[in-house]
Amino acid sequence: MPTLILVRHGRSTANTEGLLAGWTPGVALDERGAAQAAALPGRLAGLPLSEIVTSPLQRCQETLRPLLDARPELRAHTDERIGECHYGDWSGRKLAELKDEPLMEVVQAHPSAAAFPGGESMRAMQTRAAEAVREWNARVERDHGPDAVYLMCSHGDIVKSLVAEALGLHLDLFQRISVEPCSVTAIRYTRLRPFLVRLGDTGDFASLAPREEPSGDEAPVGGGAGAP
């Protein structure tokens, strides 16, 4: 079965403003995110990509633009199932405000029980994304062979949930996974089990350096802004 390259979108204006974007329209890449996107074709130059699939949201579309310009033979297929979690009434709110919501403790410690008011549950988010991957695996294998490599550009919580699913981890453990903006994660699928071969690879280690303000114990909902 194929190898899936999962790319989280580049850093967005919502990331830098500390907002939970969700499906809020008009959320674009910031200056650093645009630079991350511009570097993506070089980072993936050695990969013979057979298909490209993307979330419909603007920040993912902008992340892929330089890659598609560099590979005019490819076009991006849009799949809403790998779009961001529907955060409902939380969408567009500041993360600093949301940390005091009682639901945030559930999101952190027991996400399989978390459902966003006016939105969807984290369980439903993982299910739809995993179903999309299974269908695209079958399509890519049928059209390009079992050794094909294809790419999906999606969002932090989606990527983390797909990694958890591939590793057989309960969704309640997915907050232990970290993927920075424009990081590359690779999962090789086989008939019996997937193999995680890259996780959150950005090509630099700046995010590991000590920060002036400690990041704390909580996982950033939506994925966080990455290294400063």
Side-chain angles (χ1 to χ4, degrees):
M1 295 179 71
T3 295
L4 170 61
I5 307 299
L6 283 164
V7 175
R8 184 185 168 199
H9 63 78
R11 196 173 74 175
S12 73
T13 54
N15 293 144
T16 48
E17 292 170 9
L19 300 176
L20 185 62
W23 284 70
T24 304
V27 176
L29 298 184
D30 68 5
E31 185 176 350
R32 179 169 182 169
Q36 291 170 332
L40 193 59
R43 293 169 62 198
L44 301 178
L47 289 178
L49 298 175
S50 58
E51 299 281 0
I52 293 179
V53 188
T54 182
S55 156
L57 295 173
Q58 180 178 336
R59 52 198 183 273
C60 288
Q61 307 274 341
E62 291 181 356
T63 298
L64 288 178
R65 193 166 296 148
L67 180 62
L68 293 169
D69 288 344
R71 302 201 188 192
E73 74 279 7
L74 293 173
R75 67 180 183 89
H77 305 273
T78 299
D79 193 325
E80 291 196 357
R81 294 173 297 177
I82 61 167
E84 181 63 284
C85 185
H86 290 276
Y87 296 118
D89 297 344
W90 279 26
S91 299
R93 292 181 60 188
K94 284 192 170 293
L95 290 164
E97 298 172 358
L98 291 170
K99 69 181 179 63
D100 295 325
E101 294 277 356
L103 178 61
M104 182 60 84
E105 187 176 11
V106 181
V107 170
Q108 292 292 323
H110 190 19
S112 66
F116 296 97
E120 71 179 332
S121 68
M122 302 198 90
R123 212 169 48 251
M125 173 199 74
Q126 183 187 46
T127 298
R128 63 172 163 84
E131 287 176 351
V133 167
R134 282 191 284 272
E135 289 183 20
W136 277 101
N137 281 348
R139 176 173 172 174
V140 169
E141 182 174 15
R142 181 196 68 207
D143 294 345
H144 303 282
D147 296 321
V149 179
Y150 75 107
L151 181 148
M152 282 185 169
C153 186
S154 189
H155 306 265
D157 281 349
I158 295 288
V159 174
K160 288 163 54 177
S161 72
L162 289 171
V163 169
E165 200 264 349
L167 292 176
L169 293 177
H170 196 282
L171 184 61
D172 286 345
L173 301 179
F174 101 124
Q175 297 289 27
R176 301 184 183 191
I177 299 166
S178 176
V179 290
E180 291 206 350
C182 223
S183 62
V184 174
T185 294
I187 302 172
R188 181 174 295 125
Y189 289 87
T190 73
R191 186 174 65 86
L192 296 180
R193 58 191 170 190
F195 293 89
L196 179 66
V197 293
R198 291 287 189 281
L199 176 62
D201 189 341
T202 63
D204 77 64
F205 297 95
S207 64
L208 302 181
R211 303 188 184 186
E212 292 183 8
E213 295 184 6
S215 56
D217 296 331
E218 292 192 349
V221 181

